[in-house]
């Protein structure tokens, strides 16, 4: 063991207790880990001080620090406690920077980070302000099930023959359900089939920023117009709900839309909700967004979730058993991004501890992760929390009083009921003491408007959402 330690490239020159404790810990960890990961996450660290109850480790940059803290800190703490015989607080600090800190790789949140290539070698940076089409989002890697079948089929049809059958396609659905994935899959397929085509891919937010810049710099006005109205064969706009409340951008987008539509080009949009439900969107845009095919994506069913976990595990070369895939799929039900998060965590733990992914191990490793899963929110819990936070009675909210404070609490809780549960407007009206659905619609609209203009409402709503979903 000693031989191994002294050959360690980061053997410390500090006081011998500092040096030996850290090296001892490394010596325990290394054999349990995949060598590439060990050198990636542990070797860049230096131990700079050890006291009776703490150890201070220096990281060369925030990326390594954050990743380390999220994935390895717990285990390192256990190993250190085991070595010294009592708990040690581990603090990771940043080394004084010599140069600017290296960038996060853009796909930091995906399983790609488990590959052995060095972070620094993939810094192919996107042109300013514009994401390139992420290459990993293809049809091959998209798992199809009843929840997303329609959207996937439509996306493939569009990718095969852009600008023909469904020259406008709108994909809508909740967070982390694969909208961006499908949008990019269309882009990637078109780029590879027609390399000379102009494929424009951006979020509505980026569209807005670019447009505003072009207005400020008068010369760019024409080049902006050409770029999106003429010099574009397929326009892919992600998250069009962000057009909400941006009047001038909406006006410009309206003209872009018409120009492309009239010249038979392809437009694909995604949104986190149905166009009718996007607040602050001009009617003429709403109508146009509904001219084409509208396909929704729902949260995947158990079988689909299971297949997704298995496919992602294969791609990441983390072999998992059927049992483990089922456990993850049964416990994480809300969105695919969280499924991926669980798998990333699990594989990091397994590598670190040199353990195979048994069901027992999976349960343990995902313990806190699963505790953070948003609980199912009910209208009753919304009423209770809102009443207590806004200092009114639940019975008043359900009743007919129109006192300002009560009416406000009623609107907030109706809004939350619409957003956090899957109840319809009439359902919500009934649960609020038999109110008409139009009252609920008006309340939701009112709060949506306040959320854009009133910071007190934003804070209240944010706090309630946090409490209710325990995130
Ligand atoms: P959205 O844009 O709807 O918020 P994304 O497209 O960003 O969601 O998807 C979140 C993550 O989940 C991505 O890494 C994506 O690859 C993955 N994902 C979502 N749906 C699927 C699916 N059906 N098959 C494989 N991966 C999926
Ligand atoms: Mg998205």
């Amino acid at each position: 063991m000693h031989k191994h330690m002294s050959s360690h490239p980061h053997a410390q020159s500090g006081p011998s207790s500092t040096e030996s404790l850290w090296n001892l810990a490394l010596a325990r960890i290394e054999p349990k880990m995949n060598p590439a990961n060990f050198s990636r996450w542990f070797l860049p660290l230096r131990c700079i001080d050890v006291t009776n109850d703490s150890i201070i480790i220096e990281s060369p940059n925030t990326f390594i620090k954050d990743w380390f803290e999220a994935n390895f800190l717990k285990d390192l703490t256990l190993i250190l406690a085991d070595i010294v015989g009592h708990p040690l607080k581990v603090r990771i600090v940043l080394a004084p920077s010599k140069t600017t800190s290296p960038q996060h790789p853009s796909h930091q949140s995906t399983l790609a980070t488990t590959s052995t290539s060095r972070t620094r070698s993939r810094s192919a940076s996107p042109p300013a302000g514009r994401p390139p089409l992420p290459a990993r989002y293809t049809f091959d890697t998209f798992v199809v099930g009843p929840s997303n079948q329609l959207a996937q089929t439509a996306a493939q049809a569009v990718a095969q023959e852009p600008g023909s059958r469904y020259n406008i396609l709108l994909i809508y659905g909740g967070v982390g359900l694969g909208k961006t994935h499908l949008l990019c899959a269309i882009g990637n397929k078109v780029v590879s089939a027609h390399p000379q085509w102009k494929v424009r891919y951006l979020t509505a937010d980026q569209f807005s920023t670019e447009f505003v810049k072009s207005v400020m710099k008068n010369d760019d006005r024409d080049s902006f117009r050409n770029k999106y109205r003429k010099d574009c064969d397929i326009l892919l706009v992600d998250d069009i709900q962000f057009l909400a409340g941006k009047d001038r951008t909406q006006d410009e987008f309206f003209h872009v839309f018409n120009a492309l539509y009239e010249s038979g080009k392809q437009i694909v949009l995604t949104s986190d909700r149905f166009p009718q439900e996007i607040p602050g969107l001009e009617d003429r845009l709403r109508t146009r967004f509904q001219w084409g095919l509208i396909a929704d994506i729902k949260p995947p069913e158990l079988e689909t979730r299971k297949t997704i976990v298995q496919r992602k595990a294969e791609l990441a070369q983390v072999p998992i058993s059927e049992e483990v895939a089922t456990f993850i799929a049964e416990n994480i039900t809300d969105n695919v991004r969280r499924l991926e998060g669980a798998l990333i965590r699990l594989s990091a733990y397994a590598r670190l501890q040199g353990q195979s992914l048994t069901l027992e191990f999976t349960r343990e490793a995902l313990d806190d992760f699963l505790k953070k899963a948003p609980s199912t929110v009910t209208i009753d819990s919304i009423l209770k929390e809102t009443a207590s936070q806004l200092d009114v009675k639940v019975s008043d909210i359900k009743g007919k009083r129109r006192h300002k404070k009560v009416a406000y609490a009623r609107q907030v809780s109706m809004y939350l009921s619409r957003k956090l549960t899957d109840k319809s407007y009439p359902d919500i009206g009934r649960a609020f003491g038999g109110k008409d659905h139009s009252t609920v619609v008006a309340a939701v609209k009112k709060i949506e408007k306040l959320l854009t203009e009133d910071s007190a409402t934003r804070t209240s709503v944010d706090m309630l959402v946090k409490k209710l979903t325990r995130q």
Side-chain angles (χ1 to χ4, degrees), residues 251-317:
D251 188 51
E252 178 64 24
F253 195 73
F254 175 76
H255 293 296
V256 167
F257 188 101
N258 290 344
L260 294 177
Y261 184 74
E262 277 155 24
S263 49
K265 303 292 179 56
Q266 178 72 50
I267 301 171
V268 187
L269 311 168
T270 75
S271 167
D272 71 351
R273 66 199 87 168
F274 194 71
Q276 287 299 352
E277 299 199 335
I278 303 176
L281 192 65
E282 288 176 26
D283 281 339
R284 56 183 184 165
L285 278 180
R286 269 196 197 140
T287 330
R288 274 171 179 70
F289 292 164
Q290 291 173 56
W291 277 357
L293 177 64
I294 301 189
D296 68 337
I297 305 193
K298 297 206 173 63
E301 309 71 23
L302 178 64
E303 269 311 302
T304 314
R305 295 200 297 275
K306 195 169 141 191
T307 315
I308 292 175
V309 172
Q310 284 167 328
R311 287 289 302 282
K312 300 269 173 194
E314 259 166 48
L315 284 174
Q317 301 180 338

Side-chain angles (χ1 to χ4, degrees), residues 176 178-181 238-239 270 337:
K179 301 182 298 293
T180 300
H181 190 137
D238 210 355
D239 293 321
T270 75
R337 200 171 286 136

Side-chain angles (χ1 to χ4, degrees), residues 371-409:
K371 278 191 200 130
K372 277 198 219 123
S375 56
T376 29
V377 182
T378 61
I379 294 188
D380 276 347
S381 59
I382 292 172
L383 283 167
K384 231 168 70 199
E385 288 294 347
T386 311
S388 105
Q389 182 166 312
L390 299 178
D391 194 27
V392 299
K393 290 203 210 100
V394 171
S395 55
D396 281 342
I397 297 185
K398 287 187 172 180
K400 295 203 161 40
R401 284 187 58 194
R402 295 189 176 198
H403 185 273
K404 213 168 155 201
K405 200 162 139 187
V406 173
Y408 179 72

